[in-house]
Amino acid sequence: MPEVEHNAPRSYMRLAIKLAEHGRGRTNPNPVVGAVIVKDDRILGVGYHARYGDLHAERAALGNCTDPTDGATLYVTLEPCCHQGNQPPCTDAILQAGITRVVIGSDDPNPLVAGQGIRILRDHGVEVETGFLREECDALNPVFFHYIRTGRPYVILKYAMTLDGKICTRTGAARWITGDAARERVHRDRNLYAAVLVGAGTVVADDPLLTCRVANGRNPVRIVCDSKLSTSTDCQLVRTAREVRTIFAAAAPSTERAEAFRERGCEVWELPGDGGRVDLDALMKRIGSEKLDSVIAEGGATLNWALLQRGLVQRVQAYISPKLFGGAAAKSPVAGEGVETPDGAFRLRDVTTTQLGDDFLVEGVLAGE
């Protein structure tokens, strides 16, 4: 069993947090959860939710116990479920195991749980402590919390730019602004989130694949916001649509054009239009209904502004390269009308900076989220 500081409840929960991270990118749209079972200051079993449809963390931890668990304490990062889904209720397993104390990090906002798991345990005589290392446990699941509360995906607005704020040169050339380490980080993130979103302009300009190129990685679902289905059916996304799920979101496309994409393995979503453009609110609702809980928006300046303007962005990732392109005509990451005064700026909180080779990743959460 893993070694932790003797008789240290914080260490047990932090071990559960570390275990939960092992499931990241595989449990969507479920949360990542870790669990540790302790008796007489000794760890009896540990577990985590490994992938969607598999055992939940509590049952995984119980399954790894070789000694009796009666009278034991369970440390778990999220409130145990109490309803039948892909797996039976974890509260039933906890009670059957004779566990007498449960220490919980995060409350579960899922209406099917939302305090009911805690109540069931307490009604059966189990001592329950809630909110233990809450901030650290909550930090595991911003995607799940947003998705379960809104029914819409958690959106990460991602772009790469030079130190003078350019996403391409005056000729439109953009490969490559950042170096290998930054691009590797992008691929690792594609492995973690459910979908990647671009606009038709990005497909025309870059002809990207938008796949995950890390060992044992999982490709995100690829979504193109293409109001008139103007993208060439010979682009890489269409040519590989039978290998990686690929969706084109359009506003009232012609039947003939939509059929041409479908024949090549693409899905075509016909969504309400807003001035001839796909209604992004309708798009996010549709994405959420497909159990896609998270989206990395890797589009261009026009799409970036539209997402921000509609309040659809939760997190921003700006990869910054120590280069200067210059050029009044060279594009910046966010276009559109823009804000009128500095006070109207979109602000970030919980900002961090990470060096990746010669480049820097500055990221944070939109204020108000």
Side-chain angles (χ1 to χ4, degrees):
M1 289 296 173
E3 292 185 5
V4 297
E5 180 184 344
H6 181 66
N7 194 25
R10 289 177 177 269
S11 295
Y12 296 138
M13 186 61 88
R14 288 194 172 117
L15 174 57
I17 291 170
K18 186 177 180 180
L19 289 163
E21 288 287 358
H22 292 309
R24 191 167 302 283
R26 298 295 180 272
T27 65
N28 316 65
N30 282 353
V32 293
V33 185
V36 175
I37 298 172
V38 179
K39 185 176 180 181
D40 299 328
D41 301 331
R42 185 170 67 89
I43 295 176
L44 302 184
V46 301
Y48 64 95
H49 185 32
R51 59 182 55 82
Y52 181 75
D54 279 8
L55 291 176
H56 290 181
E58 300 92 327
R59 289 182 178 271
L62 287 167
N64 288 327
C65 291
T66 55
D67 293 340
T69 56
D70 55 298
T73 295
L74 166 68
Y75 292 84
V76 62
T77 57
L78 183 70
E79 178 183 358
C81 69
C82 54
H83 66 284
Q84 176 69 50
N86 289 321
Q87 295 291 332
C90 288
T91 49
D92 289 355
I94 292 167
L95 296 173
Q96 291 166 7
I99 287 173
T100 54
R101 183 167 179 260
V102 176
V103 180
I104 298 168
S106 299
D107 296 334
D108 190 339
N110 187 339
L112 296 174
V113 185
Q116 297 178 69
I118 294 169
R119 178 182 56 77
I120 288 171
L121 293 174
R122 284 176 172 161
D123 286 350
H124 285 81
V126 177
E127 178 187 350
V128 179
E129 179 179 353
T130 62
F132 189 73
L133 297 186
R134 182 190 298 276
E135 288 189 9
E136 293 176 47
C137 291
D138 283 355
L140 287 169
N141 286 301
V143 169
F144 172 73
F145 293 151
H146 174 82
Y147 176 70
I148 206 69
R149 286 171 176 144
T150 67
R152 300 185 181 195
Y154 186 93
V155 177
I156 302 99
L157 184 67
K158 168 259 170 185
Y159 54 83
M161 70 179 188
T162 60
L163 201 57
D164 58 341
K166 306 297 184 180
I167 60 173
C168 63
T169 69
R170 61 182 175 80
T171 65
R175 292 187 179 179
W176 293 102
I177 290 176
T178 54
D180 291 343
R183 296 201 298 274
E184 181 184 350
R185 168 60 188 265
V186 171
H187 286 287
R188 292 204 307 269
D189 280 351
R190 287 179 185 171
N191 180 49
L192 300 180
Y193 298 108
V196 58
L197 171 68
V198 296
T202 296
V203 179
V204 172
D206 299 338
D207 194 18
L209 266 174
L210 303 178
T211 51
C212 170
R213 280 156 257 174
V214 297
N216 301 313
R218 174 191 55 81
N219 288 320
V221 175
R222 305 177 302 189
I223 304 173
V224 182
C225 190
D226 185 359
S227 297
K228 298 179 181 179
L229 287 184
S230 59
T231 306
S232 169
T233 54
D234 194 42
C235 71
Q236 291 195 94
L237 293 177
V238 176
R239 292 204 311 266
T240 57
R242 298 192 188 280
E243 302 164 24
V244 182
R245 186 181 179 191
T246 304
I247 299 164
F248 280 80
S254 72
T255 301
E256 181 180 355
R257 192 70 177 153
E259 188 58 29
F261 279 81
R262 291 183 175 119
E263 286 177 353
R264 288 163 174 79
C266 302
E267 297 177 38
V268 177
W269 291 353
E270 299 184 26
L271 299 171
D274 181 10
R277 297 180 179 274
V278 168
D279 184 321
L280 293 177
D281 290 285
L283 175 58
M284 291 304 160
K285 290 178 183 177
R286 178 65 186 270
I287 291 172
S289 73
E290 295 281 324
K291 294 188 176 180
L292 300 172
D293 64 355
S294 48
V295 170
I296 306 175
E298 297 190 24
T302 300
L303 180 60
N304 290 348
W305 169 253
L307 290 168
L308 284 168
Q309 188 182 38
R310 287 164 175 77
L312 298 174
V313 177
Q314 281 65 58
R315 188 173 188 85
V316 174
Q317 292 183 330
Y319 290 84
I320 303 174
S321 175
K323 301 173 183 175
L324 303 173
F325 281 175
K331 294 180 179 179
S332 64
V334 182
E337 185 180 14
V339 301
E340 292 185 2
T341 66
D343 288 343
F346 295 91
R347 299 179 183 273
L348 302 182
R349 60 176 175 82
D350 302 332
V351 176
T352 61
T353 302
T354 306
Q355 186 163 2
L356 299 164
D358 292 333
D359 307 310
F360 294 86
L361 169 60
V362 179
E363 57 184 327
V365 178
L366 261 292
E369 288 294 330

